[in-house]
Amino acid sequence: MSKIRPSQGAPYARIMGVGGYRPTRVVPNEVILETIDSSDEWIRSRSGIATRHWANDEETVAAMSIEASGKAIADAGLTPEQIGAVVVSTVSHFHQTPAVATEIADKLGTNKAAAFDISAGCAGFGYGLTLAKGMVVEGSAEYVLVIGVERLSDLTDLEDRATAFLFGDGAGAVVVGPAKEPRIGPTVWGSEGDKSGTIKQTVSWAEYRDGTPERFPAITQEGQAVFRWAVFEMAKVAQQALDAAGISADDLDVFIPHQANMRIIDSMVKTLKLPEHVTVARDVETTGNTSAASIPLAMERLLATGEAKSGDTALVIGFGAGLVYAATVVTLP
């Protein structure tokens, strides 16, 4: 018989608060058109994007995260000292080590919270949320801060007609804590590494260091392949998340998919046969694709504008480079 004492966690977990930060600089499509041969109409018709936010020198990955996190902690009615763990999802923090989560945890004023980064691309928020839920239920942390943050403008090739208009910067954060009833459903997640070449960094840091090639690494993708995968395969994953939560599309109030592309979002809505009463996040129009930050940023905006309300049932799904994905049903804070 084991002598190890069982964990003393909460029976369930919930999202308690949400916060977001968008850089002050708003970049319209006209700026993008200075470096690619395209048009505002083409960009809008292919992606739904009209503007995006790009960070300035002071709006670092850490700085944006701290702003969003402060709002999320306040929204949850907590203080930084109560945060037991900080989980940061990002692919655009340029220091391999230490994890930016440690800097964020310190500057927020946590009491030596556990802190680490994860790399799961556009599914990163879902991965972080799942880890946070596990920590709360297992008992290793009572309150967990989950951050999705990107400065993708640093990794954008402004001469690449296929991607120059896609990416934006920003940070979104949520606080996960204990609940007496299920408020975060089972996660349906996974990876398809055989498709890893469809979204990738153009060259490795080692190749750039050695001067072959000389161009700074950027993000590139095979647009049509990604579109087909997202529309057809991710709709299946979203349905699996609904099934795992024991609800149907009719029970949903809100749908918050990764803000990759308006056409993908609209196609998923159609495939899932979402009723007209379901509010759909379309933050991509003014924020662009912010990868790991897109879901919490969209969630924060829906709540701030009143398009969604506390207690609503929401389906969230992230998908991207890897290829990786994560979907779950949550109750909005």
Side-chain angles (χ1 to χ4, degrees):
M1 180 179 294
S2 174
K3 297 180 180 179
I4 299 174
R5 179 182 298 172
S7 299
Q8 301 295 316
Y12 304 104
R14 63 184 173 123
I15 299 176
M16 299 177 61
V18 60
Y21 180 82
R22 292 171 170 81
T24 54
R25 183 188 177 194
V26 177
V27 180
N29 288 339
E30 286 73 19
V31 172
I32 306 300
L33 296 175
E34 294 174 3
T35 53
I36 61 171
D37 180 17
S38 188
S39 68
D40 177 65
E41 180 183 5
W42 188 90
I43 293 173
R44 289 174 184 258
S45 65
R46 294 304 179 96
S47 68
I49 299 171
T51 62
R52 73 284 292 148
H53 295 257
W54 283 356
N56 61 33
D57 290 344
E58 287 73 38
E59 292 167 322
T60 63
V61 166
M64 292 190 293
S65 297
I66 290 166
E67 289 290 333
S69 298
K71 296 174 184 177
I73 293 169
D75 191 44
L78 301 175
T79 64
E81 292 86 354
Q82 292 175 276
I83 300 298
V86 177
V87 182
V88 178
S89 179
T90 186
V91 297
S92 49
H93 178 56
F94 281 179
H95 289 273
Q96 193 75 36
T97 192
V100 71
T102 58
E103 177 185 350
I104 294 166
D106 175 64
K107 290 186 175 178
L108 281 173
T110 68
N111 184 22
K112 299 181 180 179
F116 58 95
D117 297 351
I118 59 175
S119 175
C122 304
F125 175 75
Y127 274 52
L129 184 65
T130 302
L131 293 173
K133 173 188 173 183
M135 284 186 269
V136 170
V137 172
E138 186 270 340
S140 58
E142 186 175 12
Y143 303 108
V144 181
L145 178 64
V146 180
I147 304 166
V149 57
E150 302 292 2
R151 270 183 57 124
L152 294 179
S153 58
D154 291 334
L155 291 169
T156 299
D157 181 352
L158 294 178
E159 297 179 4
D160 180 2
R161 189 173 183 271
T163 61
F165 57 88
L166 283 176
F167 302 117
D169 303 336
V174 300
V175 174
V176 177
K180 295 181 179 179
E181 58 184 16
R183 296 294 182 92
I184 301 175
T187 300
V188 177
W189 57 352
S191 65
E192 297 186 31
D194 60 314
K195 300 179 181 66
S196 61
T198 56
I199 305 174
K200 63 182 181 180
Q201 185 171 303
T202 50
V203 296
S204 71
W205 295 113
E207 290 173 302
Y208 178 69
R209 176 197 62 196
D210 296 339
T212 53
E214 296 180 357
R215 287 179 69 89
F216 193 75
I219 298 173
T220 186
Q221 69 174 28
E222 297 175 13
Q224 287 301 315
V226 173
F227 180 86
R228 288 192 298 269
W229 176 78
V231 168
F232 297 109
E233 297 304 320
M234 292 305 97
K236 297 176 185 177
V237 171
Q239 183 60 55
Q240 290 169 13
L242 291 175
D243 295 341
I247 67 172
S248 70
D250 291 336
D251 298 314
L252 278 181
D253 299 303
V254 185
F255 179 44
I256 311 177
H258 163 50
Q259 301 294 293
N261 179 304
M262 195 75 78
R263 292 170 63 206
I264 291 175
I265 294 170
D266 290 341
S267 295
M268 290 183 71
V269 168
K270 184 177 180 180
T271 302
L272 288 167
K273 299 179 180 178
L274 296 185
E276 290 187 7
H277 75 261
V278 176
T279 297
V280 179
R282 292 186 170 89
D283 195 44
V284 66
E285 180 179 4
T286 57
T287 307
N289 180 343
T290 56
S291 189
S294 77
I295 291 175
L297 276 174
M299 183 184 295
E300 186 263 350
R301 174 163 281 174
L302 289 176
L303 289 167
T305 60
E307 297 174 81
K309 62 184 185 299
S310 174
D312 278 353
T313 299
L315 169 63
V316 299
I317 179 170
F319 45 86
L323 292 170
V324 294
Y325 54 87
T328 189
V329 175
V330 303
T331 301
L332 296 182

